[in-house]
Amino acid sequence: MTNSKSDTEKVILEAARKVFIRKGLDGARMQEIADEAGINKALLHYYFRSKEKLFKMVFREAMGKFFPSMLMILGSQDIAIEKKVEVFIEHYIRIIQENPFIPSFIIGELNKNPGQLTEFFVESGMDTSRVSFIIEEVLAKELKISTQQARHLVVNIIALSVFPFVSRPLLEKIIFHSNKDEFDQFVSERKSVIMNLIGTSIYR
Amino acid sequence: MTNSKSDTEKVILEAARKVFIRKGLDGARMQEIADEAGINKALLHYYFRSKEKLFKMVFREAMGKFFPSMLMILGSQDIAIEKKVEVFIEHYIRIIQENPFIPSFIIGELNKNPGQLTEFFVESGMDTSRVSFIIEEVLAKELKISTQQARHLVVNIIALSVFPFVSRPLLEKIIFHSNKDEFDQFVSERKSVIMNLIGTSIYR
DNA sequence: GTCTATACGGTGATAGAC
DNA sequence: GTCTATCACCGTATAGAC
């Protein structure tokens, strides 16, 4: 049983990623994906039965890039909390820099169809209660803060890390005057800015 | 010359808002907007020539809810900087609470079609250089920080205020277990959380 | 101004040859 | 496995009656 995907299948998935992540489920066209992959529409349906199925592959893969490592880092019991926050921020900014359009893709699709979130967690066998456990039993206890404060902490870290990428078109235009280099420079400074901000909120 | 819009026009715009903001340009259907307004498709085209024109109305209106007041608050020269930040956060969280789906709508559409941002600023007669002026000449000078630090400050404030709403489906599911009341409670605490965080980064 | 009916171009999906 | 041709449907937009 060779589970190795054929080349064509990989090419299609790569093309689908590109198009779906840029245009979203509704905006994407099977024709465009076929063109991007250098094949024809019929072949798309031969490998993946429908647009929806192909989309789910891409969406699930995108979700998978973020969640498991998030839980792994925050949930690890053998790293000091200070270090943990640092590793988390470092890891996230790197992942997002490598996949800059995925956050807005995920957020956009979830806002249009929140139901697929439940679906995702069920089908991928992930346990949402693990997040609560980490917040309540790991972060709150280690930092000696309330559950609610730990929630704000986690949301703050993610917000500060992710938001610049999600709102990139806006920031690039109105703050950096469409200068991509300045935006990149800005992003490269984020880690230390966030560390400082979060640091002072933890150690006081 | 009575510029007052007819009732039908207002009803259509209200319906268009609802549908476009939920589903986006690509996901929205003229039929759905017609149903929502209690009329038929033909009448939509009678009042607004095309789907695109109707969308632009909604998009421009949504943008207008956020930008002018943002510039007004941050740019005002007669309020102390500490108070200014407070007013800004207060104002923003209130505006977003009243229009919770607009930020993700704007961000989603801008990511799919960044070009319309330029278009918006040109057509609305707004000046993007005003933002730079405020950051460089007002915030940086008042706080005695660098231009770049002032940029991080502005992005931090907006990120912390806006992100919970943009990522609401995700947060509600994995942190609050679909309990809307807990999410609302969380949001109501954001103002003071953000003020504390930003405060310590300003006065040190 | 508002409606019904319809034109017309896409779009996802399938049939069938090679 | 991969292609061309085609189908059935949907979505925007318009024509024309009232």
Side-chain angles (χ1 to χ4, degrees):
Chain A
M1 54 162 245
T2 61
N3 264 356
S4 65
K5 288 173 183 165
S6 74
D7 270 7
T8 307
E9 198 170 340
K10 277 187 267 180
V11 169
I12 291 176
L13 271 173
E14 180 58 33
R17 247 176 247 130
K18 210 166 186 172
V19 176
F20 275 130
I21 288 176
R22 288 219 173 240
K23 309 262 181 100
L25 171 59
D26 296 324
R29 294 288 163 254
M30 292 298 265
Q31 184 61 61
E32 195 181 349
I33 296 175
D35 292 347
E36 181 74 37
I39 54 163
N40 55 64
K41 278 191 298 176
L43 211 51
L44 290 184
H45 286 91
Y46 173 80
Y47 279 95
F48 306 86
R49 271 173 39 83
S50 67
K51 182 184 182 184
E52 202 194 338
K53 285 217 172 26
L54 184 52
F55 172 79
K56 274 192 185 171
M57 291 280 183
V58 174
F59 181 75
R60 170 183 293 211
E61 186 189 59
M63 292 283 288
K65 274 218 170 75
F66 286 82
F67 285 83
S69 54
M70 176 169 114
L71 297 182
M72 195 116 54
I73 295 172
L74 287 184
S76 64
Q77 303 269 11
D78 53 349
I79 309 179
I81 183 70
E82 302 85 359
K83 187 70 185 166
K84 202 186 287 184
V85 171
E86 184 178 351
V87 170
F88 182 85
I89 296 172
E90 235 166 16
H91 175 79
Y92 257 66
I93 292 194
R94 190 175 54 74
I95 292 283
I96 298 176
Q97 272 179 317
E98 287 166 7
N99 308 276
F101 298 105
I102 290 187
S104 58
F105 168 66
I106 290 178
I107 284 172
E109 295 304 320
L110 285 183
N111 270 295
K112 272 188 297 197
N113 180 9
Q116 66 190 315
L117 191 55
T118 306
E119 206 178 313
F120 168 78
F121 280 112
V122 171
E123 288 176 11
S124 69
M126 275 183 62
D127 187 2
T128 54
S129 73
R130 176 114 180 86
V131 177
S132 311
F133 176 80
I134 289 172
I135 288 177
E136 291 165 30
E137 301 299 322
V138 182
L139 288 181
K141 292 216 167 136
E142 281 191 64
L143 286 166
K144 298 185 174 57
I145 55 180
S146 70
T147 292
Q148 193 73 339
Q149 284 174 313
R151 287 171 171 165
H152 281 289
L153 174 64
V154 170
V155 170
N156 290 344
I157 294 175
I158 298 178
L160 292 167
S161 307
V162 171
F163 190 77
F165 293 91
V166 171
S167 62
R168 175 172 184 161
L170 213 46
L171 297 185
E172 222 169 62
K173 175 84 181 172
I174 69 177
I175 297 191
F176 302 105
H177 305 96
S178 309
N179 184 327
K180 288 188 199 311
D181 290 341
E182 279 203 34
F183 181 82
D184 288 339
Q185 168 66 19
F186 179 83
V187 164
S188 73
E189 296 165 7
R190 285 303 284 172
K191 186 197 147 192
S192 67
V193 168
I194 298 171
M195 289 286 298
N196 280 334
L197 203 52
I198 296 297
T200 59
S201 85
I202 293 182
Y203 324 119
R204 60 164 65 193
Chain B
M1 55 160 244
T2 61
N3 264 354
S4 65
K5 290 174 182 165
S6 73
D7 270 7
T8 308
E9 200 171 338
K10 278 187 267 180
V11 169
I12 291 176
L13 271 173
E14 179 58 33
R17 247 175 247 130
K18 209 167 187 169
V19 176
F20 276 129
I21 288 176
R22 289 224 169 239
K23 308 262 181 101
L25 171 58
D26 296 324
R29 295 288 161 255
M30 292 298 265
Q31 184 61 60
E32 195 180 347
I33 295 175
D35 292 347
E36 181 74 37
I39 56 164
N40 57 63
K41 281 190 292 177
L43 212 52
L44 291 184
H45 287 89
Y46 174 80
Y47 279 94
F48 306 85
R49 269 174 40 81
S50 67
K51 182 185 181 183
E52 202 194 336
K53 285 215 173 24
L54 184 52
F55 172 78
K56 274 192 186 171
M57 292 279 183
V58 173
F59 180 76
R60 170 181 294 212
E61 187 189 59
M63 292 283 287
K65 275 218 170 76
F66 286 82
F67 285 84
S69 54
M70 177 170 113
L71 297 181
M72 195 116 55
I73 295 172
L74 287 184
S76 63
Q77 304 270 10
D78 54 348
I79 309 179
I81 183 69
E82 302 85 0
K83 187 70 185 168
K84 203 187 286 186
V85 171
E86 183 178 352
V87 171
F88 182 85
I89 295 172
E90 236 167 16
H91 176 78
Y92 256 65
I93 292 193
R94 190 176 53 73
I95 292 282
I96 298 176
Q97 272 178 316
E98 287 166 8
N99 309 275
F101 298 105
I102 290 188
S104 58
F105 168 66
I106 291 178
I107 284 173
E109 295 304 321
L110 285 184
N111 270 295
K112 271 187 297 196
N113 181 9
Q116 67 191 312
L117 191 55
T118 307
E119 206 177 314
F120 168 78
F121 280 113
V122 171
E123 287 174 11
S124 69
M126 274 182 62
D127 186 2
T128 53
S129 72
R130 176 116 181 85
V131 176
S132 311
F133 176 80
I134 289 172
I135 288 177
E136 291 165 29
E137 302 298 323
V138 182
L139 288 182
K141 293 215 167 137
E142 279 192 65
L143 286 166
K144 298 185 174 57
I145 56 180
S146 70
T147 293
Q148 193 73 337
Q149 285 175 313
R151 287 170 172 166
H152 281 288
L153 173 64
V154 170
V155 171
N156 290 344
I157 294 175
I158 299 178
L160 292 166
S161 307
V162 171
F163 190 77
F165 293 92
V166 171
S167 62
R168 176 173 183 158
L170 213 46
L171 297 186
E172 221 168 65
K173 175 84 181 173
I174 69 178
I175 296 190
F176 303 105
H177 305 97
S178 310
N179 184 327
K180 288 187 199 311
D181 289 342
E182 279 203 34
F183 181 82
D184 288 339
Q185 169 65 22
F186 179 83
V187 165
S188 74
E189 296 165 8
R190 285 303 285 173
K191 186 197 146 193
S192 68
V193 169
I194 298 171
M195 290 285 297
N196 280 335
L197 204 52
I198 296 296
T200 58
S201 84
I202 293 182
Y203 324 117
R204 60 165 64 191

